[in-house]
């Protein structure tokens, strides 16, 4: 059997695991990233973690295990083919860091190819091969978290664009002159369907005297979803609006790309069918032309494993 090593590099933790070609994960480990130490010590920790997994596989009595490569998923703008992190919001001060070179120097005694890509591209790759995207050719993905990430797959290949910035679906404009986005523009999907947008829209409505069980000073998207499930009218409205904004964004994307399926993941997507997905689909169907409206809209399947599975899939 073939195996590959997946590394999910985050601002807090480095997660690692061994992916079998059948999609099963084993040898999972987590070490602290320690961002403030800088890129080279982080590359050393990544290499040490990979080496531990390689040693575990080599000492395994079952000798037909073959590791074919190591893949790393990381947040930010990644120049995938040269292994460079151009910019990452999770790693302050990093500009054009040749992370793959650093890791490969640490592992120069081990003859395995190394790969890196953006965490959302990696998530979509995981879903494409072992999750909600199995059997589809043209796929888009959204991750609803602190920000709203996006990815595009065309003919089963992640599309990177001319300068590696394709797939920024979270910055689709859903409201001209709308809320300010972290990117500097106004009215992006992220400014409505990201955690900050959801919380601030709720606070604004509470300030307008809308009745609610929610405390405006300590809000999270999950609390708002819980309140909505308990029947809180404001919370229900906030999620149905969030769904509408996502449906509006998906309308533009479906008209441009005509994908077969949109996979939606991230913590906020856990609000589920009745709070979120039915509103996304209704808005999308109402606005989209006949043929592109065939696109299916489904939740991601791999949950928080998608980063590891997808990173390991870079090696295939
Ligand atoms: Zn934006």
């Amino acid at each position: 059997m073939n195996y590959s090593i997946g590394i999910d590099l985050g601002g807090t933790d480095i997660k690692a695991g061994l992916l079998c070609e059948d999609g099963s994960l084993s040898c999972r480990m987590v070490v602290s990233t320690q961002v403030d130490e800088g890129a080279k010590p982080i590359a050393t920790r990544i290499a040490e973690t990979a080496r531990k997994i390689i040693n575990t596989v080599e000492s395994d009595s079952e000798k037909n295990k073959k590791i074919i490569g190591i893949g790393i998923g990381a947040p930010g703008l990644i120049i995938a083919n040269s292994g460079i992190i151009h910019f990452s919001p999770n790693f302050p001060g990093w500009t054009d860091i040749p992370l793959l070179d650093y890791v490969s120097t640490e592992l120069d005694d081990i003859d395995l190819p190394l790969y890196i890509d953006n965490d959302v591209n990696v998530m979509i790759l995981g879903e494409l091969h072992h999750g909600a995207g199995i059997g589809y050719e043209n796929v888009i993905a959204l991750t609803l978290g602190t920000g709203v990430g996006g990815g595009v797959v065309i003919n089963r290949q992640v599309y990177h664009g001319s300068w590696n910035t394709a797939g920024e679906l979270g910055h689709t404009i859903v409201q001209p002159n709308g809320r300010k986005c972290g990117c500097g523009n106004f009215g992006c999907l992220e400014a409505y369907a990201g955690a900050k947008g959801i919380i601030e829209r709720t606070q604004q409505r509470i300030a307008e005297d809308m009745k609610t069980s929610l405390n405006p000073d300590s809000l999270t998207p999950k609390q708002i979803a819980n309140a909505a499930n308990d029947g809180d009218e404001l919370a229900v409205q906030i999620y149905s609006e969030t769904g509408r904004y996502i449906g509006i964004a998906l309308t533009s994307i479906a008209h441009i790309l005509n994908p077969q399926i949109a996979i939606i993941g991230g913590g906020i997507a856990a609000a589920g069918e009745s709070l979120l997905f039915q509103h996304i689909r209704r808005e999308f169907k109402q606005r989209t032309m006949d043929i592109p409206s065939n696109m299916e809209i489904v939740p991601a399947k791999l949950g928080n494993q998608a980063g590891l599975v997808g990173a390991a899939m870079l090696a295939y």
Side-chain angles (χ1 to χ4, degrees):
M1 285 281 227
N2 286 331
Y3 288 78
S4 60
I5 294 172
I7 311 272
D8 181 0
L9 171 61
T12 311
D13 291 321
I14 299 166
K15 296 176 193 146
L18 182 70
L19 181 77
C20 176
E21 61 188 322
D22 69 8
S24 59
L25 265 180
S26 56
C27 293
R28 294 182 66 170
M29 30 187 109
V30 182
V31 295
S32 165
T33 309
Q34 299 176 51
V35 170
D36 36 353
E37 288 185 12
K40 282 196 174 169
I42 290 175
T44 306
R45 277 191 281 283
I46 291 172
E48 281 169 357
T49 311
R51 194 183 291 278
K52 272 185 203 157
I53 294 178
I54 293 164
N55 290 342
T56 309
V57 172
E58 281 175 353
S59 64
D60 196 326
S61 54
E62 200 189 315
K63 285 293 178 198
N64 57 350
K65 285 186 175 176
K66 180 174 184 285
I67 299 178
I68 60 165
I70 302 168
I72 302 170
L77 205 171
I78 315 277
I79 317 294
N81 52 12
S82 51
I84 287 170
I85 297 186
H86 175 65
F87 160 80
S88 177
N90 303 55
F91 303 107
W94 286 26
T95 309
D96 292 327
I97 297 290
L99 189 77
L100 229 46
D101 279 354
Y102 293 169
V103 177
S104 96
T105 306
E106 297 277 339
L107 292 175
D108 63 355
D109 56 317
I110 289 169
D111 186 23
L112 281 178
L114 280 164
Y115 306 89
I116 190 169
D117 205 344
N118 162 288
D119 55 356
V120 186
N121 286 340
V122 154
M123 169 266 189
I124 196 171
L125 205 56
E127 290 288 341
L128 184 71
H129 291 278
H130 295 293
I134 292 174
Y136 294 90
E137 301 287 317
N138 301 318
V139 180
I140 59 167
L142 286 177
T143 55
L144 311 174
T146 310
V148 175
V152 173
V153 161
I154 298 173
N155 297 330
R156 291 191 72 76
Q157 299 289 322
V158 172
Y159 179 68
H160 288 93
S162 306
W163 294 282
N164 290 283
T165 64
E168 289 287 354
L169 309 181
H171 302 281
T172 307
I173 305 296
V174 294
Q175 187 76 275
N177 311 315
R179 299 173 53 78
K180 185 153 194 202
C181 180
C183 74
N185 203 346
F186 293 85
C188 297
L189 176 63
E190 178 168 304
Y192 292 86
K196 187 163 171 265
I198 290 176
I199 290 166
E200 287 181 0
R201 286 192 292 117
T202 309
Q203 287 169 332
Q204 195 180 339
R205 224 51 84 67
I206 296 172
E208 288 163 5
D209 264 350
M210 176 124 184
K211 281 208 171 56
T212 178
S213 59
L214 292 161
N215 172 2
D217 300 323
S218 67
L219 284 176
T220 63
K222 191 166 195 301
Q223 280 171 355
I224 301 169
N226 289 343
N229 283 322
D230 292 338
D232 186 284
E233 204 177 311
L234 170 62
V236 170
Q237 268 184 31
I238 292 292
Y239 267 95
S240 72
E241 277 172 25
T242 304
R244 286 192 55 204
Y245 285 118
I246 296 168
I248 292 169
L250 290 180
T251 301
S252 298
I253 298 161
H255 285 144
I256 297 166
L257 292 172
N258 186 204
Q260 294 157 296
I261 187 169
I263 300 171
I264 303 182
I268 290 161
E273 181 60 35
S274 64
L275 288 188
L276 189 63
F277 280 80
Q278 63 159 333
H279 301 290
I280 300 175
R281 289 195 198 98
R282 187 187 308 121
E283 192 70 24
F284 176 75
K285 283 280 177 196
Q286 275 172 8
R287 289 178 179 264
T288 310
M289 289 193 290
D290 184 20
I291 289 176
S293 81
N294 289 327
M295 180 181 80
E296 292 171 51
I297 299 170
V298 302
K301 270 196 184 153
L302 296 180
N304 56 12
Q305 290 200 346
L308 273 186
V309 172
M313 281 310 299
L314 290 171
Y316 280 87

